[in-house]
Amino acid sequence: MDVNLPVVVVFGLAAWAAVRLLGIRPWAVALIALFGFYLADTFAAPAIDNGTRTGVEIVNDQHD
């Protein structure tokens, strides 16, 4: 059975857990999210996207 879960949902749940369980302040999560948006406009964005896709493919291949 295949389950498709967008990476943004996983990161959102991780951020929620960090605020609730680890005591990280919401403003720090917002600051990190803004950093991600600015990072997406740099030359590093294609490499990050490629690395993320490769990592997801590796995890998916191990569960088949």
Side-chain angles (χ1 to χ4, degrees):
M1 173 164 95
D2 283 341
V3 177
N4 292 328
L5 187 63
V7 175
V8 70
V9 173
V10 174
F11 286 151
L13 290 173
W16 177 82
V19 170
R20 296 285 292 168
L21 303 174
L22 299 176
I24 295 175
R25 304 277 191 246
W27 65 265
V29 174
L31 186 67
I32 292 168
L34 285 174
F35 175 71
F37 281 112
Y38 285 115
L39 186 62
D41 285 337
T42 66
F43 67 92
I48 294 169
D49 185 51
N50 189 23
T52 303
R53 289 181 191 276
T54 302
V56 169
E57 288 174 2
I58 289 171
V59 170
N60 285 339
D61 288 341
Q62 288 179 356
H63 291 297
D64 286 338

